[in-house]
Amino acid sequence: MSAAIDVLGIGNAIVDTLARAEDDALVALDLHRGAMQLVDEARAAQLYAAMGPTTVMSGGSAANTLVGAASFGLAAGFIGKVKDDDAGREFAHDIRGAGVAFSTPFAADGAATARCLILVTPDGQRTMSTFLGACQALGPADVDEELVRSAGILYLEGYLWDPPAAKEAFLKAAKASRAAGRRVALSLSDAFCVDRYRDEFLKLVRDGLVDVLFANESELHSLYQTADFETAVKALGGESNLLGVVTRSEQGVVVIEGGKRVAVPAFPVKEVVDTTGAGDLFAAGFLAGLARGLPYEGGASLGALAAAEVISHVGARPQKDLRQLARDHGLLA
C-alpha cells in the first residue's frame, strides 16, 4: 500500500532556549554534563535566571527529525502537544514553515508549552534541562489512526515514555502502524531515559512493535548494561527482525541487522559549534534513505551529512536545504 506521508513523528513539542556555558557552571548548577534531565517549572525558572545571553528556537527531538526529513524532500507530519500561548504558536508556525504537517489541537488550559534549557560548553556538548509542560497533555485522543496508517514510517522518541498519557499515545500509534504493515522506528533519546525504561523498551522490540531502533553508544550500553561496545552490538544483532542504527559521534555509525553489519564514517566538520540535534538530524537522513529504498550505507551517509550540517551552527534544526546539500555531495540524484 502506498504511503500518503513518508514519515510521521510523535514526540514532545518543545521550544529550546540555548546559551553558552563553561564546565564549572554546570557543576555549580548541579547538572549532568551531556545529559537531559526533567525539571519542574520552578527549577526551569532558576536555571533560566542563571543563563547568559540566550537564543530561542523551536525544538523537540522527533520534531527536529521531521523538519530534517522535510528538508530532504520527504512528505512529513508531526503529532505533539503545545498550549495556546506565545511559545506554542511559535512552535506551530516554525514546524509548518519547515514543510511539516502539524494539526494537533492546542491545549486550551493547563501547563505552559514545554521548554528545554540548553547549556552548550566550548566543545559543543549540550546539557539539557526540560520542563515538559503541555507535552504531558498529549494523549491517545491526539493520535489520528487513519493518519498513522497512511504513513510509510512511524517515528517515535523515547522521551515520550515519561508522561503516562503520552506513553498510551505512543502504544496506540505503534499498534495501528504495525497492523497496517508499516515500519515503526524508535529513538532511545538519552541514556538516562534508557536507565528508567530499559525493560519496557526491550519489550517493545521483542514484542515486534518496533522494528527500527536508533541509539548512540551510551544509550546502547545502557540498554544492554555493558560497557563493552562489541558485546552491546552483538546483543543488538541478536534481536529478531530488528534494524539497529548506532551513532558513534566522530567514529561514524554502525548499522546492524541480524548477522549483517555496515559501518559508515562520520562526515568531516571544520568546527563543532553545538551538538544539539546531531542524533535527531542523523535519524532524518537515515529515514530519508529508508523512505527512498536506498541501501543502508546510503541512508547512513545522508544521516552523517545532516548531522554534520547541524553541529556546525547553533540550534537543532538545519539551516541549509538538505536535499540540495545531498545532491551537491553526490548522495542523491
Side-chain angles (χ1 to χ4, degrees), residues 61-154:
S61 179
N64 294 335
T65 296
L66 271 296
V67 168
S71 186
F72 273 115
L74 298 189
F78 178 72
I79 296 172
K81 202 74 170 178
V82 294
K83 190 179 182 181
D84 188 8
D85 55 17
D86 288 346
R89 288 187 289 272
E90 179 181 2
F91 178 92
H93 171 272
D94 288 353
I95 198 165
R96 290 168 182 157
V100 179
F102 176 64
S103 58
T104 311
F106 289 127
D109 49 26
T113 293
R115 287 191 175 272
C116 183
L117 306 176
I118 304 172
L119 293 173
V120 183
T121 44
D123 62 351
Q125 181 62 271
R126 82 284 183 273
T127 299
M128 302 182 292
S129 300
T130 303
F131 165 60
L132 286 176
C135 287
Q136 297 177 93
L138 179 72
D142 294 306
V143 175
D144 180 340
E145 290 188 80
E146 184 176 348
L147 178 64
V148 170
R149 288 191 291 268
S150 77
I153 303 170
L154 177 68

Side-chain angles (χ1 to χ4, degrees), residues 32 80 85 180 213-214 216 248 251 302:
H32 296 285
D85 55 17
L213 188 70
F214 289 94
N216 62 27
R248 309 187 69 196
Q251 296 181 66
L302 291 177

